Every structure is written in structure tokens, then in C-alpha cells.
Amino acid sequence: MHSEAVASRSADPRNGYGNGSSPTIDAVSLAIIEQLQEDGRRPYAAIGKAVGLSEAAVRQRVQKLLDQGVMQIVAVTDPLTVGFRRQAMVGINVEGDLDAVAEALTEMAECEYVVVTAGSFDLMVEVVCEDDDHLLDVINKRIRALPGVRSTESFVYLKLKKQTYMWGTR
């Protein structure tokens, strides 16, 4: 592991994930997560060898991490190869209830990430669309139409240079 701080972390129940408890993530669980981040289909027996546990113990730990909302095991696609040619980050300024707007955005299939921020925008939302017309429709007719949305600013992705999911164990 990279440091003592990494060896034992508590998930913050205020982050919107998990079941409200504060699970402690020890060095072995972090090592299991690293193994799955390298290959989400890696067999439990292989993970067990790498982290010094039995296959059954790894299976139990993985299930506990999933149940606690610490991690998910998902297939990640390249949006371009599955028909989504336009991505953008949208900065949103809100008047009134920020949570109501954030919740409405989480219900939109095109909104992949909804983040409450401090700074120039109240919310940042990553939007994945089929094309420019779809993006315009989402921003103009759906996001800007939400009660409380004061303004938006769009940052259209021209080229994605890096996208990783390895940050969870550094």
C-alpha cells in the first residue's frame, strides 16, 4: 500500500453512496479492490493468491464491499464505440434548493455524474449524448427547464486523453 493513511479508511456516509454506515477499509480490502480494478473478471482464487486469503474469504470480502456500497463491479464502455459521439461537462448555477435540482438531474439517463461543487458553479454534470442535437435538447429543453436552474455553461469534449478508475486505492 502507498501509505498508512491508505491502510485504514472510513467511507463517508454523507457522500451519497453506501447504506449510511461507515465501513472501515483495511489494507487487504484495498488490495482486493486494486486487483478488481486491474481486471474486474479476475477469479477469486487468483485474487486470494495475490492478497494472501482463501478464495472463500475473498468472495466474502467482495460481497461485503458491494453490500456496503464501497465499490461496484461494472462494464465500462467507450461511449464513441456504442453510439454516443458527444460528451460535455455542464456547469450549472442554481437559485433556491440545490438538492432538488441535483436530484432531478440524477434521474436523467444522459447525466452520468452529478456533483455538488464550491466555486463558479453549484453543480457540475457530465452529459453523454448521441450527437450535438441530442446534447442541445438535453441542455436547452431538459436541464435549463428545471425549476431553480439560473444558468448553464457547457464544456464540450473534443478528445478524451485520460480516463481511469484506479484512484480508489492510491
Side-chain angles (χ1 to χ4, degrees), residues 35 62 73 76 87 123 152:
Q35 291 286 310
V62 167
I73 300 173
V76 178
Q87 291 177 270
L123 298 167
T152 65

Side-chain angles (χ1 to χ4, degrees), residues 24-43:
T24 298
I25 310 304
D26 66 8
V28 175
S29 291
L30 285 172
I32 291 170
I33 292 168
E34 276 184 346
Q35 291 286 310
L36 288 169
Q37 284 179 325
E38 289 174 12
D39 180 357
R41 299 183 338 163
R42 184 166 287 154

